[in-house]
Each structure stands twice: as structure tokens, then as C-alpha cells.
Amino acid sequence: LLSLLFALFLGVPQLFATHDVGGNISYVFRGDPDGDGLYTYEVTLTTYQDCQSIFWNTQPGGTFPLPSQTIGVYEGFDTTSVLNRVSLSTLNLLDSTRIEIQLPSGCPSPPASVCVYEVRYRGLVNLPITFQGYHFVFDKCCRNVLTNILSPQPPSPGGGTGIVYHAWTSGPLTGNSSPVFTDLSVPFICVGDTTPILNTATDPNGDQLLFSFERPYDGLATNSGSNQPPVYNWPPSTVNYFAGYSEFNPFGAGGYAFLNAFTGYTEYFTPRQGSFGITVQIKELNANGNLVGFSRRHYQFQALLKQSSVP
């Protein structure tokens, strides 16, 4: 969703309108095309970024979007508690597309200065055989100022609450590729309306997909940028919610969030304005019922007051 919009509506200085507003990691297993004994994954990092953010103008070169991003690849089962990095891989900018805002009927139009891009990074990662699996991790700072999640921003002491984009595969032996989302991750909802979101994903291997709300990861990165260290404790720390909010009740008292575990179809209702962070996880089960992968998608929903009807 649009990070800057909430700040503009509530009069928060632009200094606090920063960083990513959603996204996910996906991967495609390409086998061993050159016969070198290493197995190739095509990894895509999709982020939704506020291009008006002052954050980008403070980076070396001041470029937006950044020309590349670096992810860590760690060997381990889905339950391994200490992960060792086997690759530090660069994903290059694939494309950057300005999002055309689709508003529900009756919702106010955002200011013309609102600017959000879908930015995709992609690269090939070559990995040795493993019987454990691989974690693809992009741990960075920072989340935007949110209504439901405690997310202090720079220049507050300690920086901001981090965000972790993550996907896990059971490894080359299963040849698994991740599910692919077919819709954008920048929805608006109107206060007082029940809003359906398809949250559609398809799986190239035909695996059964199970959807669930999860508490978002906080991660290791502070306002210094990204952090994919040589050793990564798993799972990372999770975010703290303000009182009355949770992963299952992201809109607080009087709010409503429904998720169909088998289709991903969701419905949301909020009685109040705000900017709300939500994380949906997808688990992949193969034909034998074995877990072969999971990934998370981060959303930020902007809840807007409906315009008063004109007599």
C-alpha cells in the first residue's frame, strides 16, 4: 500500500514517510543447465517502494530505485535454528513500474504527489546439493509508520523496525519452485466497508497451497540498511503490536480479517483510518503431503474515509 499517503493525510512530516510498503521473494528451480554440479535458482525480489521517500535520497548516489539488492542464501531445514550462509547473491534491477492507483468506489483520491512503484530485482543463484533445503533472506530496514505495528523511524534512537522478505525451498532434490502471486500488493480499503482481496497465487509444481496470517518478522537490520550476516538465527525476532492489535486482528477493536486457508481469498473490514501491516504465508505441500516450500508476502493496507455523499 502507499506509505506516503498516510503521512500526508495525517500531516506527518515526509521525513517519516519511508521505505518499503510490501513485497515478497519468489524463485524458479532451473536444474543444472551447465552440468557443473551446482543447481540454479532464478530468484526474484518484488518490493513496493515509496519513491518520494527521503530515505532513498540519503543513500550513496541518491538513486531511486537502487540498481541492485543483495540477498543471503542459507542452508537449513524449515525448523533449523542456526543458519549458515552459503551464498551472498546480487539481484539486479529487472524493472520498475509506477502503480496506477485503483480506488474502491467512494474512496477519496490520493494527493498527486503520492508515488509508489513496483520494483523487481532478479538474479541466478547457483547452489550445491543439499538434503536440508535453502532459505532465501532479504533482511532490511525499515517499515513505515503503521497504525497497528510499533515501528519507530529514524531519527528515533535505534532506528526503525526491520522487515524480512523470506522464502524457503526443500532443495534441488524436490525441484520445487515457489508459487507466484498474480495480483498487486498495494490495495486500499474504505473505512466501514467490507473489502474482498483475491490474494491469488498459482503453483508451477501443482502443489497444494495453504494460506495463513502470520506475525511479521522484525529482523536484524537497523537504519543503516540491509543485513544478511554469515550466521543467521532462525526464526528472526517478530514485530510488536500496539495494544488491541495482532496478526489475526490487524485492524483492532471492531475490525475484521478473514482468510480462506485453501484459496487465499481474504476479506477485510476496519472501522478506523490508518495504515495497517499484514503478512500472509503460503505453505506448499506436494502430492505426498510433504512440506516442500513456504514464502511470505507483506502487505500494507491504507484505510481511507469514504467521501460524504452529495445531496
Side-chain angles (χ1 to χ4, degrees), residues 28-59:
V28 178
F29 179 66
R30 297 299 188 190
D32 182 9
D34 55 6
D36 64 353
L38 298 177
Y39 294 88
T40 300
Y41 288 87
E42 182 181 83
V43 181
T44 301
L45 169 66
T46 300
T47 65
Y48 294 89
Q49 300 178 10
D50 169 17
C51 60
Q52 298 294 333
S53 169
I54 193 173
F55 170 79
W56 297 109
N57 296 324
T58 62
Q59 300 305 293

Side-chain angles (χ1 to χ4, degrees), residues 15 22 65 67 70 87 97 120-121 129 135-136 193 216 234 238 270 293:
L15 176 64
T70 300
S87 175
T97 305
R120 296 191 301 164
Y121 299 89
I129 193 71
H135 295 256
F136 302 100
D193 281 354
W234 192 259
T238 55
T270 178

Side-chain angles (χ1 to χ4, degrees), residues 1-2 6 40 44-45 49 51 63 69-70 73 84 113 133 141 154 168 190-191 201 223 301 308:
L1 194 307
L2 303 182
F6 184 51
T40 300
T44 301
L45 169 66
Q49 300 178 10
C51 60
T63 57
Q69 299 281 14
T70 300
V73 184
N84 292 308
S113 58
C141 180
W168 177 80
C190 273
V191 172
N223 58 1
F301 289 88
S308 300

